[in-house]
Amino acid sequence: MLRNVIRRDSYYDSVVLMDLSQRLTKLPGVSLAAVMMGTEVNKEILTEAGLLEASGKEAGPNDLIVSIRAEGENVLTMALGVVEELLVQRRAVGHRGERRPRTLEAALRERPDARIALISVPGEYAYLESMKALRRGLHVVLFSDRVPFEAELALKQYALRRGLFVFGPECGTCIINGVPFAFANRVPRGRIGIIGASGTGIQEVSCLLATAGEGISQALGVGGRDLHPTIGGLMMQQAIRALQEDPETAVIIVLAKASSPEIERIVFDLLASGPKSAVVNFLGSTIPRAQGTNRVRVAQTLDEAAVAALGLLRGARGDAPPFAISQQLLSLARALSARLDPSARRIVALYSGGSLVAEAAWLLRQFGEQVTTDLLRGIFPPSPTPPGHLIIDVGEAVYTVGRGHPILDYRIRTDFIRRLNEWRDGGILLLDLILGLGAHPDPASEIIGALNDLPKERRESLVVVASLCGTAADPQGLESQAARLDAAGVTVMPSNAQAIRLAYLVSRGGNGIDPVPRSVHESS
Amino acid sequence: MPPTRILNVRSAGASLASLLEDSSWDGRISARFRSALQITGPHERLVHLQGGSPLVSPFSLRIEGNLGPIIAELDIDEGMPVRKEGPRLEIAGRLRLLLEDMRYYRSPLTGGVIDPEALRLAERTLALCVRPGGLDAMRVAREAAGEIDAGLRSGQIERVVIASTRLVGLGPGLTPSGDDFLVGTLKGLSMFGWAQRMPVTALAALRRGLTPLLRERTSKVGAAFIGHAMHGQFAEVLDRAAATLLAPAEPEAVTSGIARFLGQGATSGADTARGFLTALDACLSANGKEQVLQC
């Protein structure tokens, strides 16, 4: 059943037209849809595609043609409803849309009680806007990217003198007094405070705690470069002192990628000299677990940090590796590896979380594996084939040009997945799916859709392992996302580290290997 | 009736000069977008009224700040009258635009050198877009773009013109993707107009070949973009992106210039960038790939 909707002499934002086209195409029962101006060449194309009916032939170059081929009247009615919604109703909403303050001053006139400003302007303007907020006595959550290093340092030095915080940049997660900022999950309030230099690290740990029934007091994302020697952990140190004085925080977790030994020592000593129990995870740090004390534990992975904090909170020792590789995991790995082409045991990891990338690279290297974490010119499949396993952080700036962050926008990952058909070396696909506020509303559908586009033979030989970072209370629903992935043949693991362990075991055939990381040997 | 708001126009595309310097005329709002208005003036000439910076078309008028909330607040809609009277534009008795302090923006006659490395960076930025433009999904468009590329490299101008006529009005978008690609190609050729014979010849041939087709073959907006481009006038945002390719190539500037340009519309930025880089690459290739090229 074919229907053409013609809107005479009509102009719409091209973004609206693209959105309409995509939404129509995705409707169940719609086999083809096109949205085009009625130029002669476009009408020829629509005719060739069997998408032009008599009314469409009458359209001129300034008329918009919406063409829909659907299975039945009901589907067509639904599709026409989408057309109405996007081309008529949306315009009306935008027309009389609510007024929002356009400046910080106007926002403060409306909310003089505000204490925190979320700044999300392009990086080159971030200093100016952040400084305006700090001068008015507001804490700043800085969500901008590409903030110049010297600007970040200046802002943080100023904030420190005023007793204020600058959270971020390069870290898009904060939960302050139960209020989430930017990317965050719906986690319960509780007694564990998290301070992180990384957004996804905070999300991973807070979700693991939530799944274990524990909540957080505060989650403070101090910025991916805060522990750089030039900045010296200014906000990290201030945040530690704040949580040490916070009566609602019983245990503090500190998460960061490895920094300089001096900075790591400053942070560790600050925690050790304070009144509260703590867990520190400097991913890839040289500080061995053995240097931990009864009150300040050293965790080597994010899941280990969560379990250690739970242990401290609940009075257990809290230093056991939380997800030790079990016989069950080995059995699962053996079963999955049986599907693999023996010549294609390479892991291809497509990650949206920077900390999760770092964790994957570090853990695989601990297993003695060779890892490549950069693609030549960003081209996938890579040529020439890089050595070892391949871990790609699609949140890097080169991949986010012209689109949203991959936590929200799955196009780059789904495109790479489809291209796996051209590159048979990668037999194990490893993914992180971040749920929660600000994230994609249905990541499972995106991944499943891309996997289903692979030829059957390629799909069946591909082992897909994913970790889901989320909670049952998140809008996407942790359980339903996991169930749908599972039904599509994706093996879902409870943490990123555990997904990496499984992928590693699958790559080794799940047989005759010692799966315990070297670092665990060293400390036991 | 809401009170009349008075705003200063800050800049306008130079190609609007004759229209804005006419003492009086009547027009109408022909399209309302989320944060812009399209005015149709005498002889069906288009004026795009926008906020922010820079100018996103060669026929744009720019006010300071964001126009979106003003459009909503004043309830300005399609079909409303626009009256040009002396140095001001009156829109439906609700918005008055003052033209006295306005400056005209004219696309620069670019001078400098194109560094192949800068071009590679720009191409990489474009390649990293998963679905960079509307042309990608259309075989006929890809073939035509390939023909333009081959024609420019080999100096077969007639081949370029024939392929270009196939692109006019082709593809999705308010400005069809084919039109966007052609505007980019024209920009690339314009940059070399000073230094090489081939681009000058190609520009003249394209003007002759495309002008008679525009009215019938594409939308008014697409025709306006191509029409202005054939006379060397482009969107300021495209000119800025192009300027980042002039040596010395600063990777950050190139990536950020092209990236900002790609944000234009849903697919227009990417299609235009593709046409632009195709033309530059072909000109460089015709002159020896690894040479920095004066333009």
Side-chain angles (χ1 to χ4, degrees), chain A residues 9-19 22 35-42 45 48 61-64 88 90-100 102 122 124-125 146 375-380 397-403 409 411-416 418-419, chain B residues 28 30-35 38 40 46 66 68-69 71-73 75-78 120 123-125 127-131 134 138-140 165-176 215-221 252 255-256 258-260 262-268:
Chain A
D9 218 12
S10 290
Y11 302 92
Y12 295 90
D13 277 314
S14 51
V15 176
V16 172
L17 299 182
M18 177 66 77
D19 189 17
Q22 288 178 346
V35 181
M36 288 177 151
M37 302 303 283
T39 61
E40 286 305 315
V41 276
N42 282 345
I45 285 171
E48 279 176 25
N62 294 300
D63 303 332
L64 181 71
V88 181
R90 176 187 283 194
R91 173 170 283 198
V93 169
H95 199 196
R96 300 176 200 285
E98 62 176 301
R99 285 190 66 183
R100 292 184 177 177
R102 308 291 309 168
E124 57 266 41
Y125 307 112
R146 299 184 185 187
L375 273 180
L376 187 63
R377 298 181 68 195
I379 305 301
F380 187 84
V398 288
Y399 299 107
T400 57
V401 170
R403 63 176 73 81
D409 184 341
R411 285 179 293 172
I412 190 97
R413 282 206 281 186
T414 52
D415 184 65
F416 281 12
R418 291 184 180 100
R419 292 190 206 174
Chain B
R28 65 185 168 84
S30 50
R32 190 198 69 234
F33 305 112
R34 269 179 294 195
S35 56
Q38 181 178 284
T40 299
L46 299 182
N66 189 344
I71 296 170
E73 180 189 337
D75 216 7
I76 295 173
D77 209 347
E78 285 172 11
R120 295 286 87 76
E123 286 172 338
R124 185 181 75 167
T125 305
L128 287 172
C129 279
V130 176
R131 296 183 185 90
M138 308 175 77
R139 180 183 49 80
V140 61
T165 61
R166 287 161 57 197
L167 283 178
V168 175
L170 178 64
L174 176 59
T175 48
R215 188 180 174 87
E216 297 299 321
R217 295 275 287 273
T218 189
S219 67
K220 287 174 193 164
V221 182
E252 190 72 15
T255 306
S256 127
I258 295 292
R260 191 169 297 179
L262 289 178
Q264 300 299 306
T267 56
S268 290

Side-chain angles (χ1 to χ4, degrees), chain B residues 21 35 120 146 148 194 205 226 228 243 246-247 256 261 276 283-284 286:
Chain B
E21 285 163 14
S35 56
R120 295 286 87 76
I148 291 174
W194 286 99
I226 297 177
H228 290 298
L246 297 174
S256 127
F261 184 71
F276 173 57
C283 290
L284 275 176

Side-chain angles (χ1 to χ4, degrees), chain A residues 276-300:
Chain A
K276 292 182 179 171
S277 299
V279 179
V280 59
N281 167 228
F282 288 127
L283 207 52
S285 162
T286 51
I287 297 181
R289 183 186 281 113
Q291 279 201 11
T293 66
N294 281 339
R295 216 160 39 75
V296 182
R297 309 284 185 195
V298 176
Q300 293 185 311

Side-chain angles (χ1 to χ4, degrees), chain B residues 54-267:
Chain B
L55 298 172
V56 301
S57 81
F59 46 96
S60 284
L61 275 183
R62 182 178 71 79
I63 60 153
E64 260 181 12
N66 189 344
L67 188 60
I70 296 169
I71 296 170
E73 180 189 337
L74 301 182
D75 216 7
I76 295 173
D77 209 347
E78 285 172 11
M80 287 182 170
V82 178
R83 171 106 185 123
K84 165 76 169 52
E85 192 68 62
R88 64 185 190 223
L89 274 176
E90 299 277 356
I91 298 177
R94 303 176 185 197
L95 179 60
R96 178 176 299 161
L97 301 176
L98 303 181
L99 306 172
E100 285 106 328
D101 294 331
M102 179 188 69
R103 290 184 176 184
Y104 285 112
Y105 171 78
R106 185 174 298 280
S107 284
L109 295 170
T110 313
V113 292
I114 299 290
D115 181 349
E117 188 52 35
L119 189 56
R120 295 286 87 76
L121 280 168
E123 286 172 338
R124 185 181 75 167
T125 305
L126 185 61
L128 287 172
C129 279
V130 176
R131 296 183 185 90
L135 291 183
D136 270 11
M138 308 175 77
R139 180 183 49 80
V140 61
R142 289 197 304 272
E143 286 173 0
E147 277 289 291
I148 291 174
D149 185 36
L152 289 173
R153 284 170 195 272
S154 59
Q156 296 172 280
I157 304 303
E158 193 55 30
R159 194 174 169 188
V160 175
V161 175
I162 291 169
S164 297
T165 61
R166 287 161 57 197
L167 283 178
V168 175
L170 178 64
L174 176 59
T175 48
S177 298
D179 296 3
D180 292 323
F181 184 92
L182 287 174
V183 168
T185 305
L186 290 164
K187 174 66 191 172
L189 293 174
S190 301
M191 286 180 76
F192 284 93
W194 286 99
Q196 289 187 5
R197 175 183 289 275
M198 185 276 281
V200 177
T201 313
L203 279 171
L206 284 168
R207 265 196 294 271
R208 283 194 304 273
L210 297 182
T211 303
L213 305 177
L214 294 181
R215 188 180 174 87
E216 297 299 321
R217 295 275 287 273
T218 189
S219 67
K220 287 174 193 164
V221 182
F225 269 99
I226 297 177
H228 290 298
M230 288 194 300
H231 292 93
Q233 292 306 308
F234 301 90
E236 188 180 4
V237 66
L238 172 57
D239 290 333
R240 286 193 186 183
T244 65
L245 297 183
L246 297 174
E250 294 291 343
E252 190 72 15
V254 171
T255 306
S256 127
I258 295 292
R260 191 169 297 179
F261 184 71
L262 289 178
Q264 300 299 306
T267 56

Side-chain angles (χ1 to χ4, degrees), chain A residues 357-493:
Chain A
V357 170
E359 186 173 53
W362 179 80
L363 203 45
L364 284 171
R365 286 180 180 130
Q366 288 296 300
F367 289 132
E369 298 291 288
Q370 195 170 10
V371 175
T372 299
T373 56
D374 192 21
L375 273 180
L376 187 63
R377 298 181 68 195
I379 305 301
F380 187 84
S383 179
T385 295
H389 304 297
L390 181 60
I391 301 177
I392 304 170
D393 180 358
V394 294
E396 288 282 347
V398 288
Y399 299 107
T400 57
V401 170
R403 63 176 73 81
H405 191 280
I407 288 177
L408 176 65
D409 184 341
Y410 272 64
R411 285 179 293 172
I412 190 97
R413 282 206 281 186
T414 52
D415 184 65
F416 281 12
I417 290 171
R418 291 184 180 100
R419 292 190 206 174
L420 279 174
N421 190 42
E422 303 157 28
W423 196 54
R424 302 299 178 110
D425 268 9
I428 304 161
L429 176 62
L430 180 60
L431 301 163
D432 65 338
L433 275 65
I434 312 289
L435 310 182
L437 305 166
H440 189 288
D442 185 10
S445 288
E446 294 282 354
I447 298 299
I448 293 167
L451 290 171
N452 287 342
D453 284 345
L454 288 171
K456 187 165 180 282
E457 156 270 324
R458 176 62 174 134
R459 171 72 190 90
E460 286 176 351
S461 68
L462 187 67
V463 172
V464 187
V465 179
S467 67
L468 275 176
C469 174
T471 70
D474 280 332
Q476 301 87 349
L478 180 64
E479 294 304 324
S480 68
Q481 289 284 308
R484 292 178 56 208
L485 289 165
D486 185 59
V490 177
T491 304
V492 179
M493 300 305 286

